[in-house]
Amino acid sequence: LECKNNTMPDEQNQLLHDYLNKALPDLSLDPETYIPYITGCLDSFQENDLDQELDEIMALLQASSESHSDDEQVWSDLKREILSKYKEYKDELNRKTKEYEEERRVMEEKKKKEDLEEAQREKERRRLAEEENARRREMDPAKKSLLEQYAYDSSEMYDDNGNLIEENVAKGKDEEEAAMTSNKALAEKMNKERAQQIRGAHNTSKKEEREKTKQAKMDKMKQKEERRKRAQKGERKR
């Protein structure tokens, strides 16, 4: 029976190596010679052939033993222990492989979900940016001038027709809220300026009216004084 020697036991198969290190010397067999041979054969066998292949290994070990070659029971026990520990090793290996595959599946699903959510957020950011762009294009020149004066954004540029040119699309909910706050502040400022203009115009009209009334009174008094002087002058001549 030709098998590839396995001289490097992995962590899970250490239990079988420890057992053979103790059991083989009791059977007058050299562990350094036979352990790599036994484990190499086990790794090369198909699972369905394992029991039959182990019979051939036991026959070889029994023929090589100088002290227990005629003791059939000891080789039956050795085969049973090797088979038990090897299956235990394979079960543990399969369990860890399934755990790894499950962890990888969960991570891949999580990554796909995160990518999908990010794509949806990016789509929403673009939609909001397009709506804002359209709103700016529809804005009348006076409002656009005030927006440029009081809510200037270094990431926004306008072409020769006054249309917004996207340089950096606003990102994130916070930036959208900031834009809404800026627009609200602009509207409040525009309303305040209109109110001031109306009050200023009203105050100017009242002031002009008072000036006109005062001037009319002064002109009337001046005319009355002139008539009085002319009357006095006429009396002196008589």
Side-chain angles (χ1 to χ4, degrees):
L1 185 64
E2 294 183 0
C3 298
K4 181 179 178 180
N5 286 357
N6 184 0
T7 59
M8 297 293 293
D10 56 35
E11 182 179 354
Q12 291 81 12
N13 205 14
Q14 188 63 49
L15 183 64
L16 177 59
H17 280 255
D18 292 343
Y19 169 74
L20 292 175
N21 264 322
K22 180 179 179 181
L24 292 181
D26 293 340
L27 299 173
S28 302
L29 296 173
D30 179 25
E32 293 184 2
T33 301
Y34 290 102
I35 288 179
Y37 172 74
I38 294 171
T39 56
C41 287
L42 289 172
D43 290 337
S44 64
F45 293 157
Q46 296 294 327
E47 185 175 354
N48 295 336
D49 300 331
L50 189 58
D51 188 83
Q52 182 179 350
E53 297 291 351
L54 271 176
D55 285 338
E56 295 186 20
I57 294 177
M58 292 303 102
L60 175 63
L61 296 178
Q62 185 175 359
S64 302
S65 174
E66 298 179 355
S67 60
H68 295 75
S69 59
D70 297 329
D71 189 347
E72 297 295 336
Q73 184 62 43
V74 73
W75 303 108
S76 177
D77 294 343
L78 179 64
K79 174 187 172 182
R80 186 180 64 253
E81 289 296 327
I82 291 175
L83 187 60
S84 173
K85 287 176 171 54
Y86 183 73
K87 285 186 176 180
E88 183 179 347
Y89 150 69
K90 293 296 290 186
D91 290 343
E92 180 68 11
L93 184 63
N94 291 336
R95 184 187 66 79
K96 291 199 172 186
T97 300
K98 289 181 180 179
E99 285 182 356
Y100 169 76
E101 292 296 334
E102 178 64 16
E103 289 177 0
R104 187 175 67 174
R105 184 188 65 79
V106 171
M107 291 299 294
E108 288 177 352
E109 290 182 356
K110 182 179 179 181
K111 181 68 167 56
K112 288 180 181 179
K113 182 179 179 181
E114 290 175 350
D115 291 344
L116 178 61
E117 291 175 350
E118 178 59 27
Q120 290 174 342
R121 286 193 293 268
E122 179 64 22
K123 182 178 179 180
E124 180 66 10
R125 286 195 292 264
R126 290 183 179 277
R127 184 187 68 79
L128 293 173
E130 289 173 0
E131 289 182 358
E132 178 67 11
N133 194 25
R135 188 184 66 78
R136 296 286 182 87
R137 285 194 296 267
E138 295 172 358
M139 188 181 298
D140 63 75
K143 288 183 178 179
K144 184 176 292 186
S145 176
L146 285 173
L147 181 62
E148 293 173 349
Q149 181 178 359
Y150 298 111
Y152 177 74
D153 186 346
S154 61
S155 67
E156 296 180 351
M157 299 175 61
Y158 292 87
D159 58 22
D160 295 336
N161 296 322
N163 296 322
L164 179 66
I165 302 173
E166 285 189 27
E167 181 175 334
N168 295 319
V169 178
K171 294 183 179 180
K173 183 178 179 182
D174 291 341
E175 296 182 19
E176 287 300 326
E177 291 177 351
M180 293 174 63
T181 301
S182 176
N183 292 336
K184 182 178 179 182
L186 173 62
E188 291 176 352
K189 185 173 185 64
M190 292 171 60
N191 292 334
K192 184 177 180 180
E193 288 180 352
R194 291 194 189 99
Q196 290 176 345
Q197 291 174 358
I198 293 172
R199 286 197 298 271
H202 181 66
N203 292 337
T204 300
S205 298
K206 290 180 67 177
K207 183 178 180 181
E208 290 176 350
E209 189 65 31
R210 286 196 298 270
E211 291 292 337
K212 289 179 181 180
T213 301
K214 182 178 179 181
Q215 185 64 38
K217 289 181 178 181
M218 292 177 65
D219 291 343
K220 186 175 181 181
M221 291 177 64
K222 183 177 180 180
Q223 292 174 3
K224 184 177 180 181
E225 181 65 20
E226 288 178 351
R227 287 196 299 270
R228 186 182 64 77
K229 289 181 179 180
R230 285 197 299 269
Q232 290 178 350
K233 186 177 180 181
E235 290 178 356
R236 286 198 295 271
K237 286 181 179 181
R238 287 195 298 268

PDB file of all heavy atoms in Angstrom, residues 195-211:
ATOM      1  N   ALA A 195     -40.084  94.636   3.846  1.00  0.00           N
ATOM      2  CA  ALA A 195     -40.802  95.369   4.895  1.00  0.00           C
ATOM      3  C   ALA A 195     -40.118  96.700   5.202  1.00  0.00           C
ATOM      4  O   ALA A 195     -40.765  97.732   5.386  1.00  0.00           O
ATOM      5  CB  ALA A 195     -40.895  94.515   6.148  1.00  0.00           C
ATOM      6  N   GLN A 196     -38.764  96.662   5.221  1.00  0.00           N
ATOM      7  CA  GLN A 196     -38.025  97.902   5.477  1.00  0.00           C
ATOM      8  C   GLN A 196     -38.240  98.911   4.358  1.00  0.00           C
ATOM      9  O   GLN A 196     -38.355 100.112   4.598  1.00  0.00           O
ATOM     10  CB  GLN A 196     -36.547  97.575   5.640  1.00  0.00           C
ATOM     11  CG  GLN A 196     -36.217  96.832   6.929  1.00  0.00           C
ATOM     12  CD  GLN A 196     -34.765  96.427   7.020  1.00  0.00           C
ATOM     13  OE1 GLN A 196     -34.045  96.449   6.012  1.00  0.00           O
ATOM     14  NE2 GLN A 196     -34.325  96.042   8.211  1.00  0.00           N
ATOM     15  N   GLN A 197     -38.260  98.401   3.118  1.00  0.00           N
ATOM     16  CA  GLN A 197     -38.485  99.307   1.987  1.00  0.00           C
ATOM     17  C   GLN A 197     -39.862  99.958   2.062  1.00  0.00           C
ATOM     18  O   GLN A 197     -40.024 101.151   1.798  1.00  0.00           O
ATOM     19  CB  GLN A 197     -38.329  98.525   0.681  1.00  0.00           C
ATOM     20  CG  GLN A 197     -36.898  98.096   0.399  1.00  0.00           C
ATOM     21  CD  GLN A 197     -36.807  97.196  -0.816  1.00  0.00           C
ATOM     22  OE1 GLN A 197     -37.830  96.867  -1.416  1.00  0.00           O
ATOM     23  NE2 GLN A 197     -35.597  96.803  -1.172  1.00  0.00           N
ATOM     24  N   ILE A 198     -40.882  99.122   2.425  1.00  0.00           N
ATOM     25  CA  ILE A 198     -42.244  99.670   2.522  1.00  0.00           C
ATOM     26  C   ILE A 198     -42.333 100.715   3.635  1.00  0.00           C
ATOM     27  O   ILE A 198     -42.900 101.797   3.461  1.00  0.00           O
ATOM     28  CB  ILE A 198     -43.242  98.528   2.767  1.00  0.00           C
ATOM     29  CG1 ILE A 198     -43.309  97.627   1.530  1.00  0.00           C
ATOM     30  CG2 ILE A 198     -44.623  99.069   3.103  1.00  0.00           C
ATOM     31  CD1 ILE A 198     -44.118  96.370   1.738  1.00  0.00           C
ATOM     32  N   ARG A 199     -41.728 100.359   4.807  1.00  0.00           N
ATOM     33  CA  ARG A 199     -41.739 101.324   5.927  1.00  0.00           C
ATOM     34  C   ARG A 199     -40.970 102.586   5.548  1.00  0.00           C
ATOM     35  O   ARG A 199     -41.374 103.700   5.886  1.00  0.00           O
ATOM     36  CB  ARG A 199     -41.124 100.677   7.166  1.00  0.00           C
ATOM     37  CG  ARG A 199     -42.030  99.653   7.836  1.00  0.00           C
ATOM     38  CD  ARG A 199     -41.564  99.365   9.252  1.00  0.00           C
ATOM     39  NE  ARG A 199     -40.233  98.803   9.270  1.00  0.00           N
ATOM     40  CZ  ARG A 199     -39.981  97.496   9.194  1.00  0.00           C
ATOM     41  NH1 ARG A 199     -40.987  96.634   9.109  1.00  0.00           N
ATOM     42  NH2 ARG A 199     -38.751  97.049   9.221  1.00  0.00           N
ATOM     43  N   GLY A 200     -39.850 102.408   4.840  1.00  0.00           N
ATOM     44  CA  GLY A 200     -39.067 103.582   4.442  1.00  0.00           C
ATOM     45  C   GLY A 200     -39.840 104.474   3.503  1.00  0.00           C
ATOM     46  O   GLY A 200     -39.820 105.704   3.631  1.00  0.00           O
ATOM     47  N   ALA A 201     -40.523 103.840   2.549  1.00  0.00           N
ATOM     48  CA  ALA A 201     -41.310 104.626   1.596  1.00  0.00           C
ATOM     49  C   ALA A 201     -42.457 105.340   2.309  1.00  0.00           C
ATOM     50  O   ALA A 201     -42.759 106.505   2.034  1.00  0.00           O
ATOM     51  CB  ALA A 201     -41.852 103.707   0.498  1.00  0.00           C
ATOM     52  N   HIS A 202     -43.095 104.643   3.248  1.00  0.00           N
ATOM     53  CA  HIS A 202     -44.193 105.255   4.003  1.00  0.00           C
ATOM     54  C   HIS A 202     -43.704 106.415   4.856  1.00  0.00           C
ATOM     55  O   HIS A 202     -44.318 107.486   4.891  1.00  0.00           O
ATOM     56  CB  HIS A 202     -44.844 104.185   4.882  1.00  0.00           C
ATOM     57  CG  HIS A 202     -46.009 104.699   5.690  1.00  0.00           C
ATOM     58  ND1 HIS A 202     -47.189 105.130   5.107  1.00  0.00           N
ATOM     59  CD2 HIS A 202     -46.149 104.881   7.035  1.00  0.00           C
ATOM     60  CE1 HIS A 202     -48.005 105.541   6.044  1.00  0.00           C
ATOM     61  NE2 HIS A 202     -47.403 105.392   7.229  1.00  0.00           N
ATOM     62  N   ASN A 203     -42.563 106.220   5.507  1.00  0.00           N
ATOM     63  CA  ASN A 203     -42.000 107.298   6.338  1.00  0.00           C
ATOM     64  C   ASN A 203     -41.600 108.489   5.485  1.00  0.00           C
ATOM     65  O   ASN A 203     -41.767 109.645   5.880  1.00  0.00           O
ATOM     66  CB  ASN A 203     -40.792 106.766   7.116  1.00  0.00           C
ATOM     67  CG  ASN A 203     -41.201 105.758   8.167  1.00  0.00           C
ATOM     68  OD1 ASN A 203     -42.344 105.742   8.610  1.00  0.00           O
ATOM     69  ND2 ASN A 203     -40.264 104.898   8.567  1.00  0.00           N
ATOM     70  N   THR A 204     -41.035 108.189   4.302  1.00  0.00           N
ATOM     71  CA  THR A 204     -40.638 109.281   3.401  1.00  0.00           C
ATOM     72  C   THR A 204     -41.860 110.076   2.958  1.00  0.00           C
ATOM     73  O   THR A 204     -41.836 111.318   2.910  1.00  0.00           O
ATOM     74  CB  THR A 204     -39.907 108.701   2.181  1.00  0.00           C
ATOM     75  OG1 THR A 204     -38.747 108.014   2.633  1.00  0.00           O
ATOM     76  CG2 THR A 204     -39.494 109.807   1.222  1.00  0.00           C
ATOM     77  N   SER A 205     -42.945 109.396   2.649  1.00  0.00           N
ATOM     78  CA  SER A 205     -44.163 110.084   2.209  1.00  0.00           C
ATOM     79  C   SER A 205     -44.712 110.972   3.318  1.00  0.00           C
ATOM     80  O   SER A 205     -45.132 112.115   3.080  1.00  0.00           O
ATOM     81  CB  SER A 205     -45.218 109.050   1.793  1.00  0.00           C
ATOM     82  OG  SER A 205     -44.743 108.295   0.701  1.00  0.00           O
ATOM     83  N   LYS A 206     -44.731 110.480   4.534  1.00  0.00           N
ATOM     84  CA  LYS A 206     -45.233 111.280   5.658  1.00  0.00           C
ATOM     85  C   LYS A 206     -44.353 112.496   5.904  1.00  0.00           C
ATOM     86  O   LYS A 206     -44.843 113.593   6.181  1.00  0.00           O
ATOM     87  CB  LYS A 206     -45.304 110.413   6.908  1.00  0.00           C
ATOM     88  CG  LYS A 206     -46.397 109.363   6.847  1.00  0.00           C
ATOM     89  CD  LYS A 206     -46.434 108.534   8.106  1.00  0.00           C
ATOM     90  CE  LYS A 206     -46.871 109.370   9.290  1.00  0.00           C
ATOM     91  NZ  LYS A 206     -46.984 108.563  10.524  1.00  0.00           N
ATOM     92  N   LYS A 207     -43.031 112.296   5.787  1.00  0.00           N
ATOM     93  CA  LYS A 207     -42.102 113.419   6.004  1.00  0.00           C
ATOM     94  C   LYS A 207     -42.290 114.484   4.933  1.00  0.00           C
ATOM     95  O   LYS A 207     -42.315 115.697   5.230  1.00  0.00           O
ATOM     96  CB  LYS A 207     -40.677 112.895   5.985  1.00  0.00           C
ATOM     97  CG  LYS A 207     -39.649 113.970   6.263  1.00  0.00           C
ATOM     98  CD  LYS A 207     -38.253 113.368   6.286  1.00  0.00           C
ATOM     99  CE  LYS A 207     -37.215 114.442   6.563  1.00  0.00           C
ATOM    100  NZ  LYS A 207     -35.836 113.883   6.557  1.00  0.00           N
ATOM    101  N   GLU A 208     -42.440 114.039   3.687  1.00  0.00           N
ATOM    102  CA  GLU A 208     -42.647 115.006   2.601  1.00  0.00           C
ATOM    103  C   GLU A 208     -43.956 115.762   2.788  1.00  0.00           C
ATOM    104  O   GLU A 208     -44.027 116.975   2.511  1.00  0.00           O
ATOM    105  CB  GLU A 208     -42.653 114.264   1.265  1.00  0.00           C
ATOM    106  CG  GLU A 208     -41.279 113.716   0.870  1.00  0.00           C
ATOM    107  CD  GLU A 208     -41.323 112.905  -0.401  1.00  0.00           C
ATOM    108  OE1 GLU A 208     -42.461 112.616  -0.861  1.00  0.00           O
ATOM    109  OE2 GLU A 208     -40.259 112.536  -0.931  1.00  0.00           O
ATOM    110  N   GLU A 209     -44.983 115.035   3.246  1.00  0.00           N
ATOM    111  CA  GLU A 209     -46.284 115.690   3.460  1.00  0.00           C
ATOM    112  C   GLU A 209     -46.176 116.752   4.550  1.00  0.00           C
ATOM    113  O   GLU A 209     -46.746 117.853   4.418  1.00  0.00           O
ATOM    114  CB  GLU A 209     -47.311 114.622   3.846  1.00  0.00           C
ATOM    115  CG  GLU A 209     -48.747 115.120   3.876  1.00  0.00           C
ATOM    116  CD  GLU A 209     -49.225 115.526   2.498  1.00  0.00           C
ATOM    117  OE1 GLU A 209     -48.756 114.935   1.503  1.00  0.00           O
ATOM    118  OE2 GLU A 209     -50.069 116.449   2.414  1.00  0.00           O
ATOM    119  N   ARG A 210     -45.430 116.379   5.635  1.00  0.00           N
ATOM    120  CA  ARG A 210     -45.266 117.376   6.696  1.00  0.00           C
ATOM    121  C   ARG A 210     -44.500 118.606   6.193  1.00  0.00           C
ATOM    122  O   ARG A 210     -44.805 119.747   6.545  1.00  0.00           O
ATOM    123  CB  ARG A 210     -44.524 116.737   7.879  1.00  0.00           C
ATOM    124  CG  ARG A 210     -45.391 115.769   8.676  1.00  0.00           C
ATOM    125  CD  ARG A 210     -44.751 115.470  10.028  1.00  0.00           C
ATOM    126  NE  ARG A 210     -43.472 114.822   9.876  1.00  0.00           N
ATOM    127  CZ  ARG A 210     -43.292 113.513   9.807  1.00  0.00           C
ATOM    128  NH1 ARG A 210     -44.354 112.707   9.888  1.00  0.00           N
ATOM    129  NH2 ARG A 210     -42.085 112.990   9.662  1.00  0.00           N
ATOM    130  N   GLU A 211     -43.456 118.360   5.372  1.00  0.00           N
ATOM    131  CA  GLU A 211     -42.675 119.477   4.830  1.00  0.00           C
ATOM    132  C   GLU A 211     -43.539 120.373   3.951  1.00  0.00           C
ATOM    133  O   GLU A 211     -43.446 121.600   3.993  1.00  0.00           O
ATOM    134  CB  GLU A 211     -41.493 118.930   4.027  1.00  0.00           C
ATOM    135  CG  GLU A 211     -40.422 118.251   4.857  1.00  0.00           C
ATOM    136  CD  GLU A 211     -39.680 119.251   5.744  1.00  0.00           C
ATOM    137  OE1 GLU A 211     -39.671 120.455   5.411  1.00  0.00           O
ATOM    138  OE2 GLU A 211     -39.121 118.821   6.768  1.00  0.00           O
TER     139      GLU A 211
END
